[in-house]
Amino acid sequence: MGWWIIAHLSAVLNKYVLLVGTVALMLALAYVVARYVEKPAGLWLRNEFTLRATQAVQWVRSLAARKPSPVIPERKYLPLSRQIH
């Protein structure tokens, strides 16, 4: 977003004024997002992540606790091409 601002306003404004203004705008936008989006949603996200991570760990442990599947038994008979006459 900052590069877009610089690209569109570089012909109109001094490059140093544009740079300082763009950096200030991006910092302000980052503050607004952190304050009004991340903080309110943070508790809910942390709780959901903890719940889902715990469920995933329990699922993996249940897989590890299962008995291994039976091994495929060896063939009782050789194919016709390998039989000894």
Side-chain angles (χ1 to χ4, degrees):
M1 187 171 183
W3 287 111
W4 182 84
I5 293 171
I6 291 172
H8 283 80
L9 297 178
S10 62
V12 180
L13 293 174
N14 179 351
K15 62 182 176 183
Y16 298 111
V17 173
L18 183 58
L19 178 64
V20 170
T22 303
V23 169
L25 179 65
M26 292 298 107
L27 287 173
L29 185 62
Y31 172 77
V32 168
V33 169
R35 173 71 175 89
Y36 295 106
V37 175
E38 290 180 2
K39 274 195 176 186
L43 179 62
W44 178 79
L45 285 172
R46 185 178 63 228
N47 291 340
E48 283 296 312
F49 175 77
T50 304
L51 174 68
R52 303 296 179 211
T54 304
Q55 289 173 347
V57 167
Q58 290 172 350
W59 179 73
V60 168
R61 286 182 179 162
S62 72
L63 288 179
R66 289 184 184 174
K67 292 181 181 178
S69 60
V71 177
I72 299 173
E74 291 185 33
R75 290 184 179 177
K76 291 184 179 181
Y77 305 102
L78 292 173
L80 289 175
S81 62
R82 303 188 82 201
Q83 284 183 357
I84 302 174
H85 297 289

